[in-house]
Amino acid sequence: MSTLAQDPSAVIVMTVSDPSPKWFTGRKKSTLIVARWVPLALVGLPVLTLLAIVIYPTIWMFYHAFQNTNMIRLFRNDWSYVGWENFATIFQSERFTDSLQNLVLYLTFGTGVEVLLGTIIALILYEVVKSNALRTVILILVVLPMMLPPSIVGVLWKFLLTPSNGAVNHALLNLGLISTPIEWFNAGISLWSIIIADVWNWTALPLLIIYSGRVSLPPAIYEAARVDGASGWKTLTRITLPMLKEVIAIAFIVRFMDAFKFVDLVYVMTSGGPAQSSELPAYIAFQRGIREFNIGEAAAYSIVIFAFSAIIITLFLKYLKKVLKSQSIA
Amino acid sequence: MARLSIEGLCKGWDFPVLDELDLQVEEGEFFIVVGPSGAGKTTLLRLVAGLETADAGRILLNGEDVTTVPPYQRGIAMTFESYALYPNMTVFKNIASPLVARKLDRHTIEQKVTAVAKLLQIDHLLDRKPGEISGGQKQRTALGRTLVADPKAYLLDEPISHLDAKIRHELREQFQTLEALHTVGTLYVTHDYSEALALGDRIGVMGGGKLVQTGTPRELFDFPSHAFVAQQLGQPGINLLMTSLTEDGGKTYLRSRDGNLKLILDEEQRQRLNGRSNAEVLLGIRPQHIRILAPRQKAPAKHQMVDARIEQFQPLGSMGIAITRAHGIDLKALTPPEAAHIGAQEVRLAIFSPAFHLFDPISGKRI
């Protein structure tokens, strides 16, 4: 401070002749901003973390899928190679084929309904609700369930669907829609209970994706449609939906990928029961590995799920790329 | 009876975009509205199309009041500045869309669309999607969609402003030759004065939410009723200088307020300024009425000589623009492009005085 006060020109010299402060450049030979090890460390730490929690376990899984590893053998270090035996066990078990059936049901009626409902609500929200404030309030309300942890959602719906005196049965009985309480957690119905809870939990995600897609469609096209004389229905089916096709596909893929690793609600609400009737493949893998310590078979399950989802998602992405290319977006 | 007539049209109360605007497009007329961006040109078109509702005033199509009629029942067709093509449909379907909405049979649609596509030279692109064609082709497609609708009036919103110069000229020619646009009535909006002068049967210059002046291109260019109109038309823009009227030795001069430029008025101009002695006058001189004289060249008839200095010269291919400074006043002059007036040079300017535009400095109106 004192030197500046003595020589005001010093300030000007510093700011004019040397606009870049000294700390951006090295003083002597090196012109590095930071030492050499810093970028390595910054990139290296995440890479190491990734190795530790993703890549190493994946390799480990692929290895043990072909071993007869269980918990005891794992600790004794005496597992041995069994070839494709684990996979054979899986594909021969009825438990697996049943769970595949459940998965197909869940994908069509869970994920499918979520995307369908999301699309409908998003478009109603955009086209029908004209007040911005009301729109915001509705969006917040709709998004709330998505913010709850799945375990809480599971417990919540378990309460709501309790056959005797659960809120849902109570309401249905009072409305006269049913005469006897629905046994929500009986075989054959329990999967549907999970699907209902999942739809409640996740509809908001496709809704948000599709809503933002609708917002970004150019208004001039809709004005052209009005001048052309296109009806509301035609505008929806010929303009809005075709233009949202990719966005809807993306929303579907996002939910689809989640569906393959969907375990939490099954675990909390039914534990796969009764009698394994509401199990999904990922839940069996979890059961076999973490609960029953049959690590080899669980690893094989994981690979099967991985392969299924990889194939389907690759097909999806291929389709998406084709669509985007035809509109010369990608 | 006019094709399209607009009476006292208003939009917006606190900050009016359109303020009691009147306009008439006659049968078969190509009417161009030109004005700076933000003047409300597009709003005017959108009101005529029915995409926005008027706050006051009437819109008549063929004598029928359509002010509150929904867009598609008005029988108009509009092209949009952004083309507004349906990206998921082919060029064919895009052009066909107004016909499909009217539920015409497939054979008629096909006939009409191919005819229009041929006319616009896009018949080889009918299977492509808008993402796969160029900007000029997109504009032709949008134009095709408008032409095929066979409307009572065409509305064109800056249809060629965003295309590159070469295609713009091609399409400009096309607008002149397209018969349909010259048989019913076309309202064309642009900010490009040269488009307006080249294409318009009549032009309206828009400013302050109204049409400041309407008339044929020549009328507007040669006799602008307002300094604003003179400013809007012409590139480079008109030289406007504030002057005051002075009498000296039996002659009437306009003396520039800044600097010391003195220009003599002729008898006719003096008559016009009668009773305004010592008043202020806004003087407009078009750049093409200022010539740079070669050394020792005599001033042509009816020209006045002024000493000046060339500050800047832009050769533009077919012409050159010289920015000169004469007695402290900047004057732009159009010159032949070969005249290499590089660097500061002392020259003499010859100014064609009969083409002076005189405006009232306060109201801006022509005197």
Side-chain angles (χ1 to χ4, degrees), chain A residues 126-127 212-226 235 239-240 243-244 327 329, chain B residues 46 80 82-88 145:
Chain A
Y126 188 87
E127 314 279 357
S212 61
R214 176 64 190 86
V215 168
S216 62
L217 293 184
I221 287 177
Y222 287 89
E223 290 174 348
R226 277 174 68 194
T235 309
I239 299 173
T240 307
M243 277 165 75
L244 283 178
Q327 303 199 352
I329 296 164
Chain B
R46 291 169 58 85
F80 294 81
S82 58
Y83 316 137
L85 298 176
Y86 310 121
N88 51 300
R145 185 170 65 182

Side-chain angles (χ1 to χ4, degrees), chain B residues 7-221:
Chain B
E7 298 168 1
L9 197 64
C10 292
K11 180 72 185 171
W13 293 112
D14 297 337
F15 303 99
V17 183
L18 298 182
D19 189 9
E20 296 195 350
L21 183 134
D22 296 307
L23 190 161
Q24 303 247 318
V25 180
E26 304 295 335
E27 186 81 26
E29 192 177 37
F30 203 97
F31 190 96
I32 297 194
V33 174
V34 65
S37 43
K41 305 183 297 281
T42 299
T43 309
L44 171 65
L45 275 197
R46 291 169 58 85
L47 280 163
V48 176
L51 294 170
E52 282 184 47
T53 48
D55 290 330
R58 296 203 305 161
I59 299 163
L60 302 158
L61 255 175
N62 286 348
E64 198 184 320
D65 192 339
V66 293
T67 319
T68 52
V69 173
Y72 63 96
Q73 286 172 3
R74 293 188 180 197
I76 43 93
M78 179 169 176
T79 65
F80 294 81
E81 202 177 343
S82 58
Y83 316 137
L85 298 176
Y86 310 121
N88 51 300
M89 297 185 195
T90 59
V91 169
F92 181 92
K93 282 193 174 163
N94 264 289
I95 296 177
S97 57
L99 304 178
V100 172
R102 280 184 225 156
K103 303 201 168 79
L104 295 186
D105 68 275
R106 190 185 289 185
H107 185 68
T108 325
I109 291 178
E110 221 171 277
Q111 242 176 1
K112 288 193 169 191
V113 172
T114 33
V116 163
K118 246 197 199 115
L119 189 66
L120 294 170
Q121 296 149 25
I122 46 171
D123 44 338
H124 58 296
L125 302 170
L126 288 174
D127 296 329
R128 303 231 199 133
K129 288 193 172 169
E132 300 162 342
I133 57 178
S134 72
Q137 291 164 341
K138 275 184 204 164
Q139 185 50 61
R140 284 169 203 260
T141 308
L143 195 60
R145 185 170 65 182
T146 318
L147 288 176
V148 87
D150 203 9
K152 291 181 196 147
Y154 291 99
L155 307 175
L156 308 177
D157 186 6
E158 308 231 3
I160 55 179
S161 306
H162 301 292
L163 300 171
D164 57 73
K166 189 170 162 276
I167 297 168
R168 202 157 59 218
H169 282 282
E170 266 177 47
L171 276 166
R172 201 192 277 176
E173 280 166 30
Q174 192 136 50
F175 279 123
Q176 271 175 328
T177 51
L178 279 175
E179 230 173 278
L181 295 181
H182 297 275
T183 47
V184 280
T186 301
L187 188 57
Y188 181 113
V189 150
T190 180
H191 66 261
D192 182 348
Y193 88 96
S194 57
E195 254 169 54
L197 294 177
L199 290 173
D201 293 328
R202 277 196 308 147
I203 301 176
V205 177
M206 196 160 177
K210 298 182 189 224
L211 291 182
V212 180
Q213 187 183 5
T214 53
T216 64
R218 278 259 71 89
E219 273 169 25
L220 260 67
F221 195 76

